Amino acid sequence: MSSCSSSKLSLMLFLSMSMSSLILVAVSGNFYHDFEIMWGGPRARILDGGQLLTLSLDRVSGSGFRSKNEYLFGRIGMQIKLVPGNSAGTVTAYYFSSQGPTRDEIDFEFLGNLSGQPYVLHTNVYSQGKGDREQQFYLWFDPTRNFHTYSIIWNRRNIIFLVDNIPIRVFNNLESRGVPFPKSQPMRIYSSLWNADEWATRGGLVKTDWTKAPFTAGFRNFVANCCAWSSGSCSTKCATAMQRRAVLDAAGRNRLRWVQKKFMIYNYCTDFKRFPQGLPPECKR
Ligand SMILES: *[C@@H]1O[C@H](CO)[C@@H](O)[C@H](O)[C@H]1NC(C)=O
């Protein structure tokens, strides 16, 4: 498999020229090589010679996988096709996480819904064990019809969440204001499909319809550019590139505004009720 095809290069669409130097190591994944099934054994399957992975949830249990490699910075993502039809009560989690109680974590979680009702994309950032930085979005497409790309750009200065290469959220390094930033703990990529009908859909009002089980989501085209954390270090070239902030160009900034205006349904930074003592420091302009 080519490791740096032009379609991978088009991932850079909304980023400034300075970002293009970041394509140093482009690894297109094979699920056999790069991932391992973590739990739910027979409900997680690697197919098509490693090109496709499916997770299922049935009455017995869900399933999950994780990357064998750890990553420290880079542009990392894959394509996901979510549980179709009545997926209410199911959650497909897809996240990047280090280990231990002071872990860093960058989360995408897809909360299922009744047929024809919108999924919610829930995002969060944990640094040194502390999260509480949720933003939620509706998507501008039906995420169950086709595969769509969900990725992050992660460097020392900021984290950008992207959906089909459209930036939806930027989390800046504001250590200068005392906000810890994930920058020293390598992370694995995790995904799991599980039942969360006590809270996921309309706050738990809509329960999982087990007559529709098994519920199945598909994963493919894993791509990681840069810092695979092997033998304890990134390549120097890559580590240097990752000192730099990823800068959105004008088109990227417009897209980000568009998503935040039209599709964001929750932002912790505007939840004054939740933070009566004042919003978290990273929320101040
Ligand atoms: C499910 O659909 C309802 C009704 O459109 C909506 O209010 C809700 O945000 C959707 N998503 C979830 C996860 O409940």
Side-chain angles (χ1 to χ4, degrees), residues 111-114 117-120 138 200-203 265:
L111 316 185
N113 217 333
L114 295 167
Q117 302 292 314
Y119 262 80
V120 167
Y138 288 140
T201 307
R202 292 180 150 205
I265 53 174

Side-chain angles (χ1 to χ4, degrees), residues 65-76:
F65 65 92
R66 71 171 187 193
S67 63
K68 292 183 186 166
N69 252 319
E70 295 180 290
Y71 300 87
L72 186 66
F73 308 133
R75 182 175 184 127
I76 310 166

